[in-house]
Structure formats: C-alpha cells, structure tokens
Amino acid sequence: MRRHKPKAAVSSAEFGLSRRNLLCKFTAAGAATMNLLVTGISNAEENTVAAERKSSRAPVPSGSYSRSSSLELSPGVRAGTSTIRTAEDAAARAVALAEEAGKQGTFAVGGLLVDESGRVIAEATNAVIRNDHLSDPTAHVERQLVDWLAHERRRGLSLSPRHVTIVSSLDPCAMCAGAILRSGMRVMIVAEDNFAGVHENLKPRHMPRELQAQAQRDMAFFGVQGKRPMPAQVAPMFASDVSAEHVAHSTEIFSASVREVQQKVGGGGSDAGPRTFEPAEGVFLNLREVAAPLGPLVEIGKGPLNIHEPASRPELMKLLAGDGSVLVDEDGNVIVASKGAETISRARTSVLEVIRAYTFIRRTIKDRFNIALPLQRYCSIVKRAAPSEPAKGLLELGATGSFLELQRPTNKLPAMGYMQRANLTRAQEFAASLPQLYHVIGITVGRVGGG
C-alpha cells in the first residue's frame, strides 16, 4: 500500500518510502517450507495438532503440514539459518532480503524474525507479486511473519510473540502495524516511509491514538550515527547504530520497485474487467467451483444478492454473521464472502481472508472460464459493524488500502462499508488517522445497506 501519490505533492524519495505502506512489506522470500494456507483448520487437523503438541515439545516441520487450500498465507517466508550479533548485522540482512524481493518483481521489502538470543527464526520477502502476477495483496513481510509464527506455535514451536522481534527494511504500513500490534510482537525498522508508513518523524502518529503508546514501546527505528538517535529500550543486540548506507539503499530499492508493482496490483493492466458484476446463474456455478479449494471460510451466495435490496437481507446477514465480510461491486452486488480465522492468527480477520479469496477467484475464473470480474478498485468490502478494537480497525483499513493500491475511480460506496451504525464514528476516526497514501487511494468508511 504505499505507492500512489500526487506527483506535485510528494517527492520521489517520499513516494518510494510511501508505497510500502500500501504494500507494506509483504516480503515474499520463499515459504516453500512454511506452507501456510488460507483455509481454516478442520476438526481432524485440530486433533492432529493437539496430539503432536502433546507428544513432543519440538516444532513440527512446516512443510509436513498441508491442507487443501490453494492459498498460502506466508509464501515469502523461509526458515532462518543465521544468528544476529549486532544491529548492523540485522539491518544488512533485512536490506539484502529487500533487494532479493525487488529482483523477483515485487515490492522491495525484506525482513527477519529474530529471537532474544539473536537466532534468525525465519526470513521473509514481500510476496505480493509472484511469477509476474498479483498473488496476494496482503503478502507484506510483517503480516506474513505474524501469521507464520502463529502457525508454527500451533505446530508446537514454544516461542512467545513477546520474545521475538521482526526486523524490517521499511516502516510498516497500516495493515502490518495492525498485525504487529494485535500479535504482541515487536519490530525494528531500517528505513522511514513518509508517505505510507505509520510513523512521522519517528513517532507512530498515523494510527488510532489509543495505539500510539503501545506502538512507541514496540516499534522502533535503528539508530544512525549523527542522523537518527538510537532507541532507548531495545534488546542488547540492537543497541548500536547501523550505517546510513543501509537506510539509503533500502529507500532506493523500494522506490525503484513501486510504480511497476502498484500497476500490477491496482491497475489491472490489460485485464481491468467490467466495473460491475453480472450475477447470472451460470456465473455462480463457476464461482462456487473456483472457490471450492479455498475451504469452508470462503462462501459464494446461493444466488444474486445486493446490499441495497431488502429481499437480500436474510441471506446477507448469514454471510456477515460471526464478523464475516462480503466483497461487493460499486452497485452493491455481492460477489464473495468470507469468515475470519482469528483463533488461528490475530491477523486473519475476515477482511484479509476475503481479499485473498477474491484475488485468487478473480484470476482463476478468468483463466478457466474466461469470465472477467471487476477490478478490486471498483469494489468495496462490507461488514455488519465496524470493529471497536483500534488495532483491528487499523489492520482491516490498512489491508483494504493494500488491496486497492491505486486511487479508487468510484465513490458510489465507501471503500469499507458497515450495515449498522455501531462504532461507525470510531471507524471514521481510525480512517482519518491513516498515512497519506490511504487518503490518496480513497480509504473511506460509511454506512451502507440502508438499515
């Protein structure tokens, strides 16, 4: 989420740093060994995990744990093999991973997950773009690492989120900041992002005010001699300055990656598709077939539904039950719905699940049936009510920005709509606090559905 900025208002350096807020770091290093899938865990799998954790305290290899979903939650994550001794070591490795991500054609952001002894538990690269195509708009470095750790803890890894630190090459975007703060993890940051990052002058100002004290404690920038003060309370391995060259290089490679990637995410290229969804019966059959591999969290309606039509209300409320989300076109036609999996990971709310599902469905239904669905910038996400929890609001609004990536060409509906008035004023305050990029994109919230 970090990229679209008015040319006259923002410098190229700021834009580079900023784009990352939208894409916020989904580092796509390589998660072949960490096969995190988007579908929820079945009862049988829950029993298996419980039995495995009883029989051994040792973590079960991620690669041995597979499910039926076609989506990986952390495709850019791979096991770490090194040890960090100094802040310079950590910054150098994070920036090297960012450079790797840039060469893979995605946002040039990289990161590490480090325990208190300095052992690198995992490495990550942004994975928004894979094989030159949009893969997962939420696959930023930090979000991937949050979900990866949650998965590994369920597999038996005895490591608390409070005992690890994410090292990121770039200031987290709103989505990643929400994921970090919800998970209880900490982050050390190499380069600033004055357009899309949640910090301003090294202070976490672009987030709900209720979160700023926690963010001030758990999110910090490495010190740079003569340019940036070293944070007061950090682990001993981070209590030294990093070279200005690492900061400059992180900014440079990120900036170089932004424009092309943002177009692949939000521009649609030659596959912009229609502005609205045509809910014909045959299309629903194809949608259900394409969505089937995504597992029980993802749902396709039994027939045409529209958030403005009273007759759709009973079925719509079923889809929105349990804090579910639906994705609709600009006229309010429902395309896909999803529940969340927050008991598995605090970053797996229904908004992020429906974003990943629609990205997969839109690509797959075009490839298999030559059916074009609306580009996400013409769509909105709808929930029954806005979240009252500030970190969840930051996570979901930030993810919506990363999903859209470029300025919305429609204002028929807000980017995030809520059927009920509950917490609406707070949601509007959350949206107002977001970094500049999100205001350029048009991350608005409002009541929809008329009742």
Side-chain angles (χ1 to χ4, degrees):
M1 317 148 243
R2 251 173 237 133
R3 54 245 142 247
H4 193 0
K5 59 149 184 106
K7 294 180 180 176
V10 184
S11 71
S12 60
E14 288 174 322
F15 183 78
L17 283 177
S18 74
R19 145 281 75 158
R20 103 151 216 90
N21 188 68
L22 262 210
L23 292 184
C24 201
K25 302 171 166 194
F26 353 153
T27 16
T33 59
M34 323 295 186
N35 189 24
L36 288 211
L37 305 180
V38 164
T39 185
I41 294 180
S42 68
N43 290 336
E45 289 168 332
E46 290 279 13
N47 294 336
T48 300
V49 170
E52 289 171 340
R53 294 190 70 174
K54 257 187 195 177
S55 64
S56 174
R57 299 284 302 186
V60 178
S62 312
S64 70
Y65 184 43
S66 62
R67 285 170 255 170
S68 60
S69 170
S70 300
L71 300 181
E72 294 175 282
L73 282 176
S74 301
V77 179
R78 62 190 179 221
T81 59
S82 60
T83 299
I84 295 301
R85 302 297 183 191
T86 66
E88 181 76 2
D89 291 345
R93 185 58 190 151
V95 174
L97 288 164
E99 189 167 27
E100 178 183 317
K103 291 177 180 178
Q104 293 169 349
T106 189
F107 289 103
V109 181
L112 317 169
L113 190 64
V114 184
D115 71 11
E116 292 176 316
S117 71
R119 182 168 60 105
V120 177
I121 307 301
E123 297 183 337
T125 57
N126 181 288
V128 170
I129 303 297
R130 301 176 74 194
N131 300 319
D132 201 39
H133 295 289
L134 175 62
S135 174
D136 176 4
T138 76
H140 297 191
V141 167
E142 299 93 330
R143 197 283 299 157
Q144 289 186 92
L145 288 171
V146 167
D147 279 329
W148 179 85
L149 182 62
H151 173 269
E152 291 305 298
R153 281 167 52 79
R154 292 176 68 84
R155 298 293 294 149
L157 180 64
S158 181
L159 191 61
S160 166
R162 293 304 293 171
H163 295 157
V164 296
T165 299
I166 294 173
V167 177
S168 178
S169 65
L170 197 64
D171 185 15
C173 65
M175 174 184 70
C176 291
I180 291 165
L181 295 171
R182 284 202 98 201
S183 72
M185 297 166 75
R186 296 181 173 89
V187 64
M188 292 294 299
I189 308 158
V190 178
E192 300 167 55
D193 182 350
N194 296 319
F195 190 62
V198 294
H199 289 82
E200 179 181 339
N201 296 324
L202 308 183
K203 302 293 184 182
R205 295 192 170 115
H206 295 296
M207 62 177 62
R209 63 183 182 278
E210 300 96 320
L211 296 175
Q212 292 179 15
Q214 179 189 352
Q216 186 69 33
R217 181 183 69 243
D218 292 345
M219 307 175 74
F221 289 86
F222 287 108
V224 179
Q225 188 172 13
K227 296 186 177 181
R228 202 162 67 191
M230 195 165 56
Q233 296 181 331
V234 294
M237 75 187 98
F238 301 133
S240 57
D241 290 331
V242 304
S243 68
E245 287 75 14
H246 291 318
V247 178
H249 190 47
S250 177
T251 300
E252 178 185 9
I253 60 177
F254 175 77
S255 299
S257 71
V258 171
R259 294 186 183 278
E260 182 178 352
V261 179
Q262 73 180 41
Q263 287 298 323
K264 289 178 181 177
V265 176
S270 60
D271 184 29
R275 289 185 68 129
T276 58
F277 171 57
E278 299 297 333
E281 175 58 29
V283 173
F284 281 97
L285 292 174
N286 295 142
L287 281 172
R288 280 190 282 274
E289 180 177 338
V290 168
L294 300 183
L297 294 180
V298 179
E299 300 178 78
I300 303 297
K302 296 178 181 178
L305 296 173
N306 188 289
I307 62 172
H308 303 300
E309 296 176 357
S312 296
R313 186 59 58 88
E315 182 67 19
L316 180 60
M317 289 299 102
K318 291 179 183 178
L319 295 176
L320 295 176
D323 200 36
S325 293
V326 297
L327 185 134
V328 304
D329 70 7
E330 63 180 354
D331 289 338
N333 296 305
V334 176
I335 306 175
V336 62
S338 185
K339 297 296 193 290
E342 295 178 60
T343 57
I344 298 174
S345 169
R346 297 277 282 166
R348 293 189 63 183
T349 77
S350 64
V351 168
L352 280 80
E353 298 295 319
V354 83
I355 286 172
R356 286 189 283 264
Y358 186 66
T359 301
F360 172 83
I361 289 169
R362 184 174 186 270
R363 179 180 67 249
T364 307
I365 202 168
K366 176 66 174 177
D367 291 344
R368 290 179 58 183
F369 301 107
N370 197 31
I371 294 173
L373 297 178
L375 187 65
Q376 63 263 36
R377 288 194 294 135
Y378 294 110
C379 298
S380 298
I381 295 173
V382 175
K383 301 183 70 175
R384 178 175 290 190
S388 59
E389 181 195 337
K392 185 172 182 176
L394 181 65
L395 170 69
E396 294 189 335
L397 291 173
T400 304
S402 294
F403 183 41
L404 304 181
E405 192 61 45
L406 296 174
Q407 187 173 20
R408 299 183 74 224
T410 178
N411 59 5
K412 285 187 175 182
L413 292 172
M416 179 71 74
Y418 304 105
M419 302 289 290
Q420 299 174 356
R421 296 186 185 277
N423 304 319
L424 182 57
T425 299
R426 296 197 75 195
Q428 292 168 337
E429 292 171 352
F430 296 165
S433 74
L434 294 172
Q436 182 182 356
L437 172 65
Y438 300 87
H439 299 289
V440 172
I441 291 171
I443 300 304
T444 55
V445 301
R447 192 169 177 228
V448 299

